Amino acid sequence: MTLIKDVFTEEWVSKLGHRLGFEQEFCQKSYSTDWDDLSFKERVRRLSVTMHDFLPDSFDQAAEWLEKNAPDFNGLAGIVFPDYIEVYGQEDWDRSLTALEILTSFSTSEFAIRPFLIRDQERCFSYIEKWTGSGNEHVRRLASEGTRPRLPWGQAIPSLIQDPSPSLPILKRLLKDPSLYVRKSVANHLNDISKTHPEVVLSIVKAYQGQYPHTDWILRHACRTLLKRGHPEALKLFGFNQTDGVKVESFLVPRSVEIGESLTFGLTLTIAESQKIRLDFAVDYVKKKGTRNRKVFKLSEGEAKAGKKQFNRKLSFADLTTRKHYPGTHTLTILINGIEAASADFEVM
């Protein structure tokens, strides 16, 4: 399996060294004895720091070189270029923010901008607000993605976790954005906010729902965590009303499953009248210390006709890098519009 850190191939590193004019020296410094042990982000930092030895001492000239050469080093590996700005541009904000705006089109500056936000949020937002009106979708996305309170792989922004209000004008300007790339970022940003400030996101849904198709898609995707958690107001806003008209007629769950195998369960619903239904199932996983942690998965969503409807689902218990399984009593629960409707225990062996 190819690891993400392997985007930095020997060919890519040699090309970068050649472009700097010191191919052999650059490769030797980059591939010091611990290169194989470095994570992706550690390799990014190694390369950006090594570049500093071969770029001009003038930060302005170094940034100009990065902007000129970035188109030939695009994609994920190109994140090295914004990382250089993050490390060496903290004392020249105007030049750094201009560079990040340019460089984001060839990779992404969403990680590099975060130390600037933490250092002086108000000053940084004065640049970011202008980016929302850019004709470049990458720059508009940076306005949203770079300010996410909790960005995967990225440094958290504690001030925006505590108070997301500075980001709201930016997100509202992008609610009708024509680019799906931007809309996904806005939805993910709002979903981040919903985890700590659900009332903020729900107020935006109430204010903007039904005005524009692009906006409706963003709002629905932004509330996915609230819907999974069965938040009553979120469910109601999206038409999932609490009702007694849907019943679990049968729920078949095997008594046990072995780690590494899959558990297949079956479910039959009786629906009294046609209505909109969100059907989820939750698994209470046993953790290493014997505690349990619930994870919710979606089974079905949409208009359901009156009558009976059957579902069969296979759930893998193979260990993954993101989830390790442990023996013990687990619980499988069916949720209809956020309400627990049926539950069964099973043993993981």
Side-chain angles (χ1 to χ4, degrees), residues 187 190-191 194 198 201-228 230-242 275-278 301-303 337:
L190 287 170
N191 186 59
S194 77
V201 176
L202 292 174
S203 68
I204 293 175
V205 174
K206 293 174 186 176
Y208 292 93
Q209 194 175 38
Q211 293 186 11
Y212 194 75
H214 288 344
T215 304
D216 285 346
W217 183 92
I218 290 172
L219 298 177
R220 171 62 184 78
H221 201 56
C223 289
R224 63 188 185 273
T225 296
L226 293 178
L227 292 171
K228 272 191 172 185
H231 192 287
E233 188 174 0
L235 287 161
K236 186 176 181 180
L237 283 170
F238 290 96
F240 301 107
N241 298 310
Q242 297 182 19
Q275 59 190 286
K276 193 173 183 180
I277 295 174
R278 178 184 172 94
E301 179 180 303
E303 293 293 334
N337 291 352

Side-chain angles (χ1 to χ4, degrees), residues 20-34:
L20 287 164
F22 300 90
E23 182 176 349
Q24 185 175 354
E25 296 93 328
F26 180 78
C27 290
Q28 286 176 345
K29 285 199 170 187
S30 298
Y31 291 134
S32 58
T33 54
D34 62 344

